[in-house]
Amino acid sequence: MINNSNGEQSQMRMIENATRRQVTFSKRRNGLLKKAFELSVLCDAEVALIVFSPREKLYEFSSSRIDFTSC
């Protein structure tokens, strides 16, 4: 359940219309990438984000060069 702007609760569900779903994905993906960048700058945090689209395309953000092979 999520609260809408009126304070009422509604259920989150998949967007049925494929075009609207793709537009929403693109907008939310860009917003998420922007927020990850802002978090890294404002808080001096190391942030890594990986997003796969429904078509299996990879989108990624890293605030620095992170070497996972040394972990």
Side-chain angles (χ1 to χ4, degrees):
M1 301 294 268
I2 57 172
N3 290 328
N4 63 19
S5 60
N6 299 331
E8 299 170 355
Q9 290 188 350
S10 63
Q11 286 191 346
M12 186 177 291
R13 62 180 190 272
M14 186 181 80
I15 299 170
E16 297 297 329
N17 182 290
T19 303
R20 279 189 56 217
R21 187 170 52 244
Q22 180 58 39
V23 168
T24 300
F25 174 82
S26 296
K27 287 181 179 180
R28 288 183 175 256
R29 180 199 65 227
N30 289 336
L32 188 58
L33 291 168
K34 181 179 177 182
K35 291 291 185 184
F37 171 74
E38 291 172 351
L39 180 63
S40 70
V41 172
L42 294 173
C43 300
D44 193 29
E46 290 196 26
V47 178
L49 175 67
I50 299 173
V51 178
F52 288 97
S53 74
R55 296 180 181 157
E56 299 180 6
K57 185 171 179 182
L58 170 67
Y59 299 91
E60 58 185 302
F61 168 80
S62 175
S63 59
S64 63
R65 214 167 226 284
I66 301 172
D67 182 13
F68 290 108
T69 58
S70 63
C71 296

